[in-house]
Amino acid sequence: MKQFIIGMALTLTCFSYSQTCTFTFLGELSDFHDGTLISSATIHIKEIDKYVVSDFDGKFKIENLCSGTITLTISHVGCETKTVSYQLDNDMFKKIYLEHHLEELNEVTVSTNLKTESTSIEQSINKSVIENYSDKSLGDALNSLSGVSSLNTGNTIVKPMIHGLHSSRLLIINNNVRMYDQEWGDEHAPNIDINSSGKVVVVKGANTLRYGSDAIGGLILVQPQRYAAVDSLFGSSMLSLNSNGFGGNINSEIIKTYKSGFYGRLQASYKKFGDFKAPDYYLTNSGLKNLNASARIGYRSFEKGFDAYYSVVDNEIGILQSSHIGNVGDLVAAINRTEPRVIDDFSYNIDYPKQNILHHLAKIEAYKRFKNLGKLTVQYDLQINRRKEFDLRRGDLSDTPVIDLRLFTNALQSNLHMDFIEGLKLDIGALVRFQQNDAVSGTGVSPLIPDFKKFEASIYTIGNYNLNASSKINAGVRYDYSRIEADKRYNLTDWNETYNYDELFPEFETNTIENTSILTNPEFTYHNISANLGYSKQFESDLSVFANYGLATRVPNPSELFSDGLHHSAARIETGLLTLYKERAHKFAASIERNNEDFGFSISPYFKYIKDYMQLIPVGITTTIRGAFPVWEYNQINAQILGVDIDVTKKITNRLNYVGNLSLLRGQNLSDDIPLIHMPATNLTNSISYYNDELNQLTMRLIHKTVLQQKRYPDYNFYTYEPILQEDVYVDISSTTPAYSLFSFNSSMSFKAFKTGSLKLEFNVENIFNTNYRNNLNRLRYYADELGRNFNIKIKINY
Amino acid sequence: MKNIKSVKTIKLLALLLVTSIAFVSCSSDDDDHDDHDHEEELITTVTYELINGTDIVTLVYQDLDGEGGADGNTTVSGPLTANTVYSATIELLNETENPAEDITEEVEAEGDEHEFFYTSSISDVTITKLDEDSDGNPVGIVTTFVTGDAGSGSLTIELIHEPTKPNDGTSASAGGSTDVDVTFPIEVQ
């Protein structure tokens, strides 16, 4: 409309000064990237409503123009339509650049099927799926994808796992920022509010070099929603209520966009749950409180733009009270008990043990496109993570956390995306990162992770080449330098005798020895090379084939190097080792995919060989004043993981759809020829959905999920002497939980509530049959059952 | 118009930079790289002292460097006398502090959240808890220890945090988490 008025005004201006209509405008059209001249483009001259076409040399000529403004709208097949205007008071020659790459345009359209790289093996979940999980976590949402499982601590701490690998072997990239939130810990879930994201992509194949060298498991990309450059103000609010936990989530977002390319978004969500309920009892102290907010402003045009983002996540998560145990005797008692030790009535109180985590993330990114070269992006980001873990303690210390860590990370990175050569896209990037961990004093225990500083620098180059119209090849290489400098106190006996560090690392010793501890300054430097190779071919029958190879290298994380001490709720003493060195993985993945509405599928086999795989396993028993504890130590073995992920979609009728997936995985410790610890069991999901557009977009879906028992597990069970019974008792920590099947139901309807908005209602049931089950990949599986039935209502208003 | 935009952009960038600097400086205000934490909750020493006039028997478990490091030591000063009533008290210390910190006081103050359990493999031995918490349930810092006929075996002392109270007198029925679990060889003669 505005355009029209302006156009009219200009036309009028043109008419009123139409005495001198003798000017000539000469134009030349060329491609922005490689300067190719663009012929047979249509040019519409708004002021006189005339069309001309560019000639073979990309030139066009408009004669007999009046003085004043001239507005040209240039369109061409495969190009973005471009409108330019010039002030004309003489004859004029202008070079006009057009954007000739369709793929580049796709970057700005919101598409769920678009891959991050054309050769990549990946899966994604879009905004509507994310909304289904608005009161759950990132890990829960990703669990719905084949090949993705999770390592849980209770039901609120959910760590995503790809092909059986998690924590430091998975990169989580939130808004193009690599998350550093003490992600090494099994019970440290990613601090991401799923409501702030527009799309989540899981990259299983090898195209991860741009983000890091250590994505042995894979990569999770949490991406923001993109908005069209129009003048608009819109938003949505969603309320979700649950019967299990008597809680829910409220999320609101408001977005302002301008035609000029500026945009802004504000989002906030609040989540609160009380004690959750297993089918037969309340899970005392399993509630949570969670406050998140994010803000984004930016400007985007074809040539340049910037994006600034800030998010804060504040989590308070209760941990099942029954999981607080002392020594191995308590663990045996817990394993033998069928119900948790503490069962109280429902409460919203979050008592000890609990976790409090505050995570700030801020970034600013800017890009500019250069003619005949490409797009240069520069980004600075920083993160501050404060993690406090509270335990049941005595006296003055009862309100003091046992773990209090503050991790500060900031990074500067740049990427040059070059596309001036036909068929070839080349990315060159560099990154520097500095990280500082502060084990905040005052906890009254020696810190699990010491103070350390970490420096990183990386360079990479990735090329994508179109072999022909249907096949593409991708290759990349990356080099990483990293250096870690820590200050850690060791028990003198451990330093000198148990681990023999005084002979292995005399250079780390300082002369500070207090009582029984020695202050040391461990320093390690690593050089890593990683690489990948990818190939994709598209066949005419909607069929595509992908193949990836990746070489990934991971250096030991701080917990693998330094952790030292008692881990409550696991009743084990965990010991890191300074002697660990980096692990290296060869990853092969392939995928055959059919993208068809009637019958689509993807079959993705993979194979990983991981040399010097670091794992934490029980190695023996130590007796302390608190009694006996198993000691878990890190060691390195050669491992192999192979499996296949299968996804099928089938249109039964116009309104009925079937979606199913199956994940098979087999992990083997090759060094000891036994199964690998903590590998997900075979699982399959079936769902049938009904959709009727005419009936207020009624959607109904019945979902079935079966997780089989993991029969292949390493037997680390042991005997411990129980002084009271005066006999050895068997500690069964390895046996896996039985198979289970769960059913759930989703339904939703949309209504046109008011002029520019809509109302969406959802009703969902989880665990319909209130099945008792335990999940083998839940660290609290010894103590309590998983959640029972839950009724959920969601109300979403778009405005 | 274009100029105004770029000025705006620059201003925004500047603002963001300032904010980020503010963040960075905030984050370093409570830096504490010089000092470190002592194990404040640590119990290094358990002393159970049994007294009957001049007949004093002391059972000590001591692990001065805490968990990890060197193993703890158990010392028993001598045999107990048969058919004797001993008055007994337990003391928990953290000897890494100077002076040593008396953890028993904390346990006493939070008696309702703690309980000692004494279990002997010698069937003739009876141990009775004399003290009570605010709810009238036993705590077990002060006990009487009555020996029967001669015999030898062991005595296990446990301190349970957050036990079920009241319970049937065994640590198994009390649940909770174990703060102390030490076993002494004892002889009654």
Side-chain angles (χ1 to χ4, degrees), chain A residues 376-543:
Chain A
L376 176 71
T377 312
V378 179
Q379 175 179 311
Y380 172 75
D381 57 73
L382 87 160
Q383 297 175 76
I384 300 165
N385 183 276
R386 182 72 178 261
R387 162 172 288 271
K388 293 181 186 175
E389 292 185 16
F390 295 85
D391 225 323
L392 290 161
R393 303 178 85 179
R394 238 189 330 273
D396 301 339
L397 289 168
S398 53
D399 295 325
T400 310
V402 281
I403 291 176
D404 190 351
L405 298 171
R406 189 184 52 221
L407 181 67
F408 168 78
T409 310
N410 69 351
L412 182 68
Q413 55 188 299
S414 63
N415 181 71
L416 178 63
H417 177 77
M418 291 179 282
D419 51 8
F420 60 93
I421 303 166
E422 182 64 36
L424 176 70
K425 280 188 274 178
L426 203 60
D427 279 275
I428 294 178
L431 171 145
V432 281
R433 182 181 285 129
F434 171 69
Q435 199 171 45
Q436 185 193 48
N437 185 59
D438 183 7
V440 180
S441 67
T443 58
V445 288
S446 55
L448 182 68
I449 300 294
D451 290 351
F452 68 80
K453 288 191 180 92
K454 197 172 180 189
F455 309 88
E456 286 177 305
S458 332
I459 46 167
Y460 62 84
T461 176
I462 306 162
N464 279 287
Y465 183 67
N466 297 347
L467 290 172
N468 52 48
S470 65
S471 53
K472 286 171 181 162
I473 189 161
N474 163 297
V477 59
R478 180 180 171 114
Y479 163 77
D480 281 81
Y481 162 87
S482 71
R483 177 171 175 79
I484 185 163
E485 296 174 0
D487 298 312
K488 179 167 165 64
R489 271 159 224 275
Y490 274 90
N491 181 301
L492 208 51
T493 317
D494 283 343
W495 183 264
N496 292 335
E497 286 159 34
T498 319
Y499 300 108
N500 209 24
Y501 289 154
D502 57 335
E503 283 170 29
L504 293 168
F505 303 109
E507 69 274 19
F508 295 165
E509 289 180 9
T510 66
N511 292 321
T512 316
I513 295 177
E514 281 172 26
N515 289 332
T516 54
S517 74
I518 175 167
L519 178 66
T520 63
N521 296 127
E523 292 177 359
F524 295 99
T525 303
Y526 302 95
H527 302 274
N528 283 343
I529 297 281
S530 45
N532 78 255
L533 198 61
Y535 172 78
S536 73
K537 177 149 180 73
Q538 192 118 26
F539 296 97
E540 271 172 29
S541 52
D542 314 324
L543 208 63

Side-chain angles (χ1 to χ4, degrees), chain A residues 544-556:
Chain A
S544 324
V545 173
F546 301 84
N548 281 179
Y549 161 76
L551 168 72
T553 323
R554 185 176 77 86
V555 303

Side-chain angles (χ1 to χ4, degrees), chain A residues 652 656-659 686-690 700-704:
Chain A
I652 303 167
L656 276 180
N657 253 306
Y658 166 83
V659 177
N686 295 298
S687 80
I688 284 189
S689 60
Y690 170 86
M700 287 192 289
R701 182 180 294 122
L702 188 66
I703 304 158
H704 152 252

Side-chain angles (χ1 to χ4, degrees), chain A residues 160-200:
Chain A
M161 209 179 199
I162 301 177
H163 296 157
L165 301 171
H166 58 89
S167 300
S168 298
R169 292 188 183 95
L170 262 193
L171 305 193
I172 299 183
I173 311 294
N174 182 4
N175 277 285
N176 210 34
V177 179
R178 179 166 176 182
M179 291 288 289
Y180 280 98
D181 51 353
Q182 311 283 12
E183 71 289 343
W184 43 263
D186 283 357
E187 71 279 52
H188 301 176
N191 292 293
I192 292 177
D193 174 21
I194 189 161
N195 296 298
S196 66
S197 57
K199 182 185 173 189
V200 184

